[in-house]
Amino acid sequence: MGSGKPEKTQKPGRTPKPFGPNNPKSQSKFKKKTNTKNTANRQIKTKTTSVTGNNKNNQPSQPASPSQQLRYFLSQFESANGVQLSSLELESIKDSCFLDVSQELGQDVMKLEKHIKEAFGAKWKEELCEGKHIEGKIEAGSPAVLVVAPSALRSIELLRGMRTLTKECHAVKLFSKHMKIDEQVSLLMNRVNIASGTPSRIKKLIDIEALGLSRLSVLLLDIHTDVKGYSLLTLPQVRDEFWDLYKNYFHQQLVKGDLRICLYGPIPNGNEFKGKSVELADGDREQLDS
């Protein structure tokens, strides 16, 4: 007896299964989807780290030691010029040719002047701040510090880091953007302690004997990378212009011990810049000749 409605019967061979999170099949799907997402995230993070060699947890790079600067400089020279230096050539350039940059000061551009002061020791004020032209002793247009940067903008940024040193004797900007060469020649007729510019314009001013090198003591090379990962030593055209400048005017001074180079910026580990990768192995420069 009843309402007259037929009772629903369960089809043979099938048992009702719980719906929602209590359903084992739903749990399996849910877990699988979550695990796949987590795995994908881990793969993306791993891939990003291997390509860039950097992540948000990395600490700011410390200044490179003279031996690290030497190894990187020589490896870039060989790569850009398509040569392998002989043991005799390698021995002519020593660690002492590179500036020992203070680890405590780091690489904040606003502390750049402190690095430069340390390079000149007790004579820093006389060499870097004095503005009087002394006939027969100080050659006009011959800086004590020359900064070489990949662009006009970087040249200006680095000069800002030495602002207090250039109050009495103004720094000279040596790049082509918005500046005529005649104007720069005129500025170089006075005493110059610090100058900053790009390789092509610097070389042109040396070629026409407007820029002198008799007082040059520190050659600061800006190797910070741009947003595309290029630097002074890796950006193709600028790199070629720099090595042309270096071979013609700076190499002999470096070998004689009259000039020291400072690579200002973090040295890439081989994965952080475009072009040919250069892994810096632990050890001395003999590894570059093997």
Side-chain angles (χ1 to χ4, degrees):
M1 299 178 68
S3 61
K5 293 182 181 180
E7 296 183 359
K8 292 183 180 180
T9 58
Q10 182 68 33
K11 293 182 181 181
R14 296 183 64 183
T15 57
K17 295 181 180 179
F19 178 77
N22 293 326
N23 188 325
K25 191 172 183 180
S26 298
Q27 290 179 349
S28 176
K29 286 182 178 180
F30 179 76
K31 290 180 180 178
K32 185 176 182 181
K33 185 177 180 180
T34 303
N35 290 340
T36 302
K37 186 176 180 180
N38 290 340
T39 302
N41 286 339
R42 286 196 298 270
Q43 289 175 346
I44 291 172
K45 289 180 180 179
T46 302
K47 184 177 180 181
T48 301
T49 301
S50 64
V51 171
T52 64
N54 189 22
N55 58 55
K56 63 181 179 181
N57 295 324
N58 280 357
Q59 297 297 321
S61 300
Q62 292 297 314
S65 66
S67 60
Q68 289 173 322
Q69 293 181 59
L70 172 63
R71 289 198 298 270
Y72 181 65
F73 185 78
L74 292 177
S75 67
Q76 288 300 301
F77 178 87
E78 291 183 325
S79 175
N81 293 281
V83 299
Q84 184 170 0
L85 299 174
S86 66
S87 299
L88 185 61
E89 289 172 316
L90 290 171
E91 288 174 1
S92 67
I93 305 177
K94 301 178 174 60
D95 292 357
S96 58
C97 296
F98 290 80
L99 202 61
D100 191 0
V101 180
S102 172
Q103 298 292 313
E104 296 179 358
L105 295 176
Q107 298 197 48
D108 181 355
V109 70
M110 299 314 295
K111 295 181 180 179
L112 179 56
E113 64 182 37
K114 294 183 178 180
H115 291 300
I116 300 301
K117 284 181 182 179
E118 288 187 354
F120 285 85
K123 294 184 177 181
W124 70 267
K125 187 173 291 187
E126 177 186 344
E127 294 291 330
L128 303 174
C129 300
E130 181 62 48
K132 293 180 180 179
H133 175 62
I134 305 174
E135 192 69 33
K137 184 178 180 181
I138 303 295
E139 180 186 349
S142 182
V145 177
L146 180 60
V147 178
V148 186
S151 67
L153 181 61
R154 278 299 293 173
S155 297
I156 295 172
E157 288 176 357
L158 292 167
L159 284 179
R160 288 197 184 107
M162 297 181 280
R163 185 174 293 170
T164 61
L165 300 176
T166 59
K167 289 181 179 180
E168 291 187 25
C169 185
H170 297 302
V172 179
K173 301 167 187 175
L174 308 176
F175 45 78
S176 58
K177 191 171 185 178
H178 304 310
M179 295 196 74
K180 296 180 179 180
I181 196 165
D182 291 341
E183 180 185 354
Q184 292 165 334
V185 170
S186 179
L187 293 171
L188 290 170
M189 290 180 179
N190 303 307
R191 173 167 177 164
V192 177
N193 296 330
I194 299 172
S196 178
T198 53
S200 59
R201 179 52 62 91
I202 289 173
K203 185 176 184 298
K204 189 169 185 178
L205 288 164
I206 298 175
D207 287 342
I208 63 175
E209 299 183 355
L211 177 64
L213 303 176
S214 62
R215 292 181 62 217
L216 187 60
S217 179
V218 172
L219 180 67
L220 190 144
L221 307 180
D222 175 36
I223 61 169
H224 283 84
T225 55
D226 60 18
V227 293
K228 295 183 179 180
Y230 288 110
S231 74
L232 173 71
L233 300 182
T234 59
L235 185 60
Q237 182 178 347
V238 175
R239 173 198 63 193
D240 295 342
E241 290 169 350
F242 166 73
W243 288 117
D244 184 36
L245 171 66
Y246 170 79
K247 288 183 290 184
N248 279 282
Y249 293 111
F250 300 139
H251 179 71
Q252 289 303 319
Q253 284 186 279
L254 188 72
V255 171
K256 290 177 182 178
D258 297 332
L259 175 67
R260 285 182 296 168
I261 289 176
C262 174
L263 298 186
Y264 191 69
I267 290 182
N269 63 10
N271 297 321
E272 295 176 345
F273 62 93
K274 304 285 185 179
K276 183 177 179 180
S277 296
V278 178
E279 293 288 349
L280 295 181
D282 293 331
D284 58 23
R285 62 179 175 273
E286 290 179 355
Q287 292 176 320
L288 293 174
D289 197 36
S290 61

